[in-house]
């Protein structure tokens, strides 16, 4: 448009891709630079020169086309650059005028629908606009909604919109989004019968009734086997669906699967489907799939769901089987609905016992307890009664009633002599001990079971989900990794998925952080996980903690926020919140968001009942640091390390002691860290001990070694802190070359730390005492001397003295310089 490039340019792309918007923005910039840009709109109809009418003088047409075009071109050429929108609709005279202007080197920009290779403009330079990528869709959604969006949402909306910005906007305007824990989610179908996009509604409304009904049936079942459609739909109707280009085939090795050509049609048809017709469709689908033998794994589940939603009597055993698959997929809402239908159908012991496990996730823990009491009375034998008690113990645990859970499980062990049930109860005790944070007890119970049942694959698989985590927290990280691999050899499905999650944690705590991150990222990227938001949330929960350990707090915070928003933990005591909320508070603290860090800790305190010992404690320590109370942070770390060691979480105790060392108390914790590391299998725990030892001795050479070793394990934040402190000590001791080398390593490492703020990333902690650093930090936040004194329980005079020494050490004259110096 500015005339400094080629005279003719074509912008191509499908409708709604943003051609006009791009040209409008370009014109605004060109005109801001002093260039006049005229705009012509081509329209269907073929009236000669109509798109240019507003640019031509009143008497330009004299009856002879050549003279008319010459006069028109002369007039337009003298009035600046030209944009022709929808140029593919130009009438012949207008097209001739446009070609003449391009040939005369007038800046002409054409917007053309399609690929732009079929018209007279095909030889012009072309800009082809393509649909938004998934990452671009995520950026657009985050900007539009004003915050983080659930990670599956961009892919879902891009699939529906095809990356078309106009269609994406229509979808966002039609949808109802909900913000949960700082994450925007779509919790219901996008469409209702009143908000369909006009183009989709128009296409569906013109379908013949029989064809639309057939399309509805496909929408309820997609993907559906062709043989099922042929049983349910007349051949001529199927032919009509294909003529309407509504169907497409999916590749499948065994069957010919059919789906609607675009997912928006399925969304729209399901949204507008009348209830009675929906019931009839589901009944017919269930009958047809059952008649073909229900050979695929998911067929029986689909039959059960269709029959329940159609209000048709269903075999309770089939309902329990389907509910089991739904529960394993963490779809507790569906599992509960199916099991309630089974209970309504036969009220059997098995149906009620299965329902107990789902009720707490539906907010009905009280009803679950009542049901277990009924089951204890109705149990046909001692083994069944023990199973009812085990179910009750789990409900007590979910409600945070640790004493009742332990007592109930102990009673269950005394109830039956059946060896299989007793083994299940013992495994339940080991799992229960981990759930309440008693790591040593959990490991001891599991070791005892494994000694009695060596090589029993079923026992290995049942124990691995909890014991891989317990062993890792205890510092037996190599044992944890080995147990995970042994258990994974020969199992699949949800139990294998949970074991892999535990393996991710074990790898990270062993110091194999890159392998742990790769495992988590590959799981989140897998197609199998894409349809299960809850599974993704659990993976995100564990991956977020590993990313935080690696020193990437911003990325960790994104995954942790999503996990806590999506996981079915609302109203459930403790659970994954003991880990996730603590990690989130640490991430928020490292990023300087004191308010959000405090909110996460408040939620954590409310979620953990008496009797639970949270294995992860760093969040509370770093929250105190973020609030400016360094002494309180160190004291809290020392106290919590003692509590963790008491329950057998030896590696986690080292972790929080290492936090104290990073906050300036290395001398106070170095002996305990070395003692704990001496009995550990974890390379990470060894790095913690060596880092504390180097910090306590102010040994710059050892800190350089620690920096390299921490970076090799994947802990880039620890590595950067060690390099920063080493650089300062080298410089103070006159080794400028070594100081420069450490600084160069710091510069390289800090790029990956995503803006983390810690004492070790800035120079002052190595110059100032811990109390001086604390006073300086509060002063840099704008607190007055009196406010600092009240916060730290000091006299104002003592604060004045600390500030005087701080100014001298940092070579500054006023507290206004502190924020710049203390920033990492």
């Amino acid at each position: 448009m500015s005339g400094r490039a080629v005279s003719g340019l074509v912008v191509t792309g499908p409708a709604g891709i943003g051609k006009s918007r791009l040209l409008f923005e370009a014109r605004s910039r060109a005109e801001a630079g002093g260039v006049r840009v005229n705009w012509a709109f081509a329209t269907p109809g073929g009236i000669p020169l109509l798109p240019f009418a507003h640019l031509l003088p009143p008497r330009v047409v004299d009856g002879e086309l050549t003279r008319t075009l010459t006069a028109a071109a002369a007039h337009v050429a003298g009035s600046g650059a030209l944009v022709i929108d929808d140029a593919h609709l130009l009438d012949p005279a207008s097209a001739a005028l446009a070609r003449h202007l391009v040939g005369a080197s007038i800046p002409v920009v054409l917007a053309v629908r399609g690929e732009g290779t079929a018209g007279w403009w095909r030889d012009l330079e072309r800009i082809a606009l393509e649909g938004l990528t998934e990452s671009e869709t995520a950026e657009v959604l985050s900007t539009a909604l004003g915050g983080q969006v659930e990670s599956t949402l961009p892919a879902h909306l891009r699939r529906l919109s095809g990356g078309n910005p106009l269609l994406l906007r229509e979808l966002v305007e039609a949808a109802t989004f909900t913000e949960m824990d700082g994450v925007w989610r779509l919790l219901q179908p996008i469409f209702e019968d009143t908000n369909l996009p006009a183009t989709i509604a128009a296409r569906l409304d013109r379908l013949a009734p029989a064809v639309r009904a057939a399309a509805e049936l496909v929408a309820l079942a997609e993907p559906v086997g062709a043989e099922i459609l042929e049983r349910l739909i007349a051949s001529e109707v199927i032919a009509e669906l294909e003529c309407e280009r509504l169907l497409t085939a999916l590749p499948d090795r065994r069957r010919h699967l059919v789906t609607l050509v675009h997912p928006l049609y399925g969304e729209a048809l399901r949204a507008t489907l009348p209830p009675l017709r929906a019931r009839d469709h589901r009944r017919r689908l269930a009958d047809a799939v059952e008649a073909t033998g229900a050979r695929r794994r998911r067929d029986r589940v689909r039959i059960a769901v269709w029959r329940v939603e159609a209000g048709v009597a269903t075999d309770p055993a089939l309902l329990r089987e389907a509910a089991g698959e739904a529960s394993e997929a963490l779809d507790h809402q569906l599992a509960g609905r199916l099991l309630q239908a089974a209970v309504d159908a036969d009220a059997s012991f098995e149906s009620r016992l299965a329902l107990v496990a789902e009720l707490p996730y539906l907010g009905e823990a009280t009803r679950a307890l009542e049901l277990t009491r009924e089951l204890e009375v109705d149990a046909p034998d001692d083994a069944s009664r023990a199973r009812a008690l085990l179910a009750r113990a789990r409900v007590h645990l979910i409600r945070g009633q640790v004493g009742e859970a332990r007592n109930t499980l102990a009673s269950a062990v005394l109830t039956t002599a059946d060896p299989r049930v007793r083994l299940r109860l013992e495994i339940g005790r080991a799992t229960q001990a981990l759930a309440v944070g008693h790591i040593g007890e959990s490991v001891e119970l599991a070791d005892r079971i494994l000694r009695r049942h060596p090589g029993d694959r079923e026992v290995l698989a049942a124990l691995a989900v909890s014991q891989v985590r317990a062993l890792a927290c205890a510092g037996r990280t190599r044992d944890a990794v080995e147990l995970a691999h042994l258990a994974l050899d020969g199992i699949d499905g949800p139990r294998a998925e949970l074991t892999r999650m535990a393996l991710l944690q074990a790898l990270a705590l062993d110091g194999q952080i890159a392998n742990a991150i790769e495992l988590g990222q590959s799981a989140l990227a897998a197609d199998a996980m894409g349809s299960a938001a809850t599974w993704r949330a659990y993976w995100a929960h564990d991956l977020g903690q590993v990313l935080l350990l690696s020193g990437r707090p911003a990325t960790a915070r994104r995954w942790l926020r999503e996990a806590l928003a999506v996981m079915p933990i609302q109203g459930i005591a403790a659970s994954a919140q003991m880990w996730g909320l603590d990690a989130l508070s640490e991430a928020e603290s490292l990023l300087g968001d004191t308010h959000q860090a405090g909110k996460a800790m408040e939620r954590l305190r409310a979620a953990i009942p008496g009797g639970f010992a949270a294995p992860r404690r760093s969040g509370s320590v770093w929250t105190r640091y973020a609030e400016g109370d360094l002494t309180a942070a160190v004291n809290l770390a020392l106290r919590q390390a003692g509590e963790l060691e008491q329950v057998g979480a030896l590696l986690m105790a080292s972790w929080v002691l290492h936090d104290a060392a990073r906050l300036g108390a290395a001398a106070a914790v170095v002996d305990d860290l070395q003692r704990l590391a001496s009995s550990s299998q974890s390379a990470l725990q060894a790095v913690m001990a060596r880092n504390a030892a180097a910090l306590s001795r102010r040994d710059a050479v050892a800190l350089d070694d620690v920096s390299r070793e921490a970076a090799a394990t994947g802990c880039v934040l620890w590595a950067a802190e060690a390099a920063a402190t080493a650089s300062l000590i080298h410089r103070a001791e006159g080794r400028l070359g070594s100081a420069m080398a450490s600084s160069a390593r710091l510069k390289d490492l800090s790029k990956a730390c995503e803006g983390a703020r810690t004492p070790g990333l800035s120079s002052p902690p190595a110059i100032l005492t811990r109390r001086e650093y604390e006073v300086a930090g509060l002063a840099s936040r704008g607190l007055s001397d009196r406010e600092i004194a009240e916060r730290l329980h000091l006299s104002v005079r003592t604060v004045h003295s600390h500030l005087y020494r701080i100014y001298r050490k940092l070579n500054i004259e006023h507290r206004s310089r502190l924020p710049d110096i203390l920033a990492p």
Side-chain angles (χ1 to χ4, degrees), residues 300-332:
R300 291 177 62 79
V301 177
R302 299 174 88 191
I303 291 170
V305 172
W306 284 330
R307 290 201 185 284
V308 168
E309 291 179 343
V312 177
T314 310
D315 176 15
L318 175 60
L319 291 171
R320 289 196 297 271
E321 178 186 339
E325 291 197 20
S327 182
E328 287 180 342
L330 304 181
D331 190 345
H332 299 293

Side-chain angles (χ1 to χ4, degrees), residues 673-684:
L673 276 170
Q674 289 177 336
R675 173 178 56 82
L676 291 168
S678 66
S679 60
S680 170
Q681 299 172 348
S682 169
L684 196 67

Side-chain angles (χ1 to χ4, degrees), residues 326-364:
S327 182
E328 287 180 342
L330 304 181
D331 190 345
H332 299 293
Q333 291 287 340
L334 175 58
R337 200 162 86 244
L338 293 170
L339 287 170
Q340 186 59 61
V343 170
D344 292 342
D346 69 355
S348 67
F349 180 89
E350 294 299 331
S351 295
R352 287 181 290 162
L353 185 63
L355 180 60
V356 166
E358 303 303 323
L359 289 175
Y361 295 102
L362 307 179
E364 298 185 57

Side-chain angles (χ1 to χ4, degrees), residues 671-726:
D671 291 340
D672 284 333
L673 276 170
Q674 289 177 336
R675 173 178 56 82
L676 291 168
S678 66
S679 60
S680 170
Q681 299 172 348
S682 169
L684 196 67
Q685 210 166 344
V687 172
M688 297 177 194
R690 283 193 283 274
N691 191 28
L695 287 169
S696 66
R697 298 193 309 267
R698 291 179 57 82
D699 186 337
V701 174
L703 283 168
D704 282 330
D705 291 339
V706 166
S707 178
R708 285 185 283 268
E709 192 175 358
T713 66
C715 292
V716 292
L717 180 55
W718 296 0
E721 291 174 348
T725 307

Side-chain angles (χ1 to χ4, degrees), residues 609-787:
F612 281 78
R616 197 188 192 287
R617 306 287 183 92
S618 287
S620 56
V621 172
W622 287 98
T623 298
R624 291 291 178 87
Y625 158 73
E627 293 169 349
D629 201 339
L630 195 59
T631 298
V634 169
N635 291 338
L636 180 62
L638 297 176
R639 187 181 80 243
Q640 293 191 148
E643 294 172 358
L644 287 165
E645 188 171 358
Q646 188 174 2
V647 296
L650 304 184
L651 190 150
M652 310 310 288
S654 287
W655 191 338
V656 77
L657 286 172
H658 186 242
D659 289 335
R662 294 166 62 202
L663 292 170
V669 301
V670 62
D671 291 340
D672 284 333
L673 276 170
Q674 289 177 336
R675 173 178 56 82
L676 291 168
S678 66
S679 60
S680 170
Q681 299 172 348
S682 169
L684 196 67
Q685 210 166 344
V687 172
M688 297 177 194
R690 283 193 283 274
N691 191 28
L695 287 169
S696 66
R697 298 193 309 267
R698 291 179 57 82
D699 186 337
V701 174
L703 283 168
D704 282 330
D705 291 339
V706 166
S707 178
R708 285 185 283 268
E709 192 175 358
T713 66
C715 292
V716 292
L717 180 55
W718 296 0
E721 291 174 348
T725 307
S727 174
L728 188 72
I729 297 172
H730 280 309
R731 195 174 301 278
E733 296 178 354
R735 296 185 295 272
L736 296 183
S738 298
M740 291 177 65
S742 299
S743 294
R745 190 182 314 110
L746 167 63
K747 184 177 180 181
D748 186 51
L749 290 166
S750 60
K751 296 174 185 176
C753 295
E754 300 182 341
R757 304 177 185 181
T758 71
L761 279 184
S762 54
S763 300
I767 301 174
L768 307 177
T769 66
R770 193 196 325 159
R771 179 63 87 183
E772 287 168 352
Y773 183 77
E774 196 168 35
V775 170
L778 293 172
S780 73
R781 290 179 171 85
L783 273 69
S784 68
D785 293 356
R786 182 168 297 281
E787 289 171 329

Side-chain angles (χ1 to χ4, degrees), residues 29 79 135 182 324 342 347 354 416 427 568 597 625 629 633 648 652 682 694 709 790:
R29 297 189 187 191
S79 61
S135 62
T416 179
I427 293 172
Y625 158 73
D629 201 339
M652 310 310 288
S682 169
E709 192 175 358
E790 291 173 355

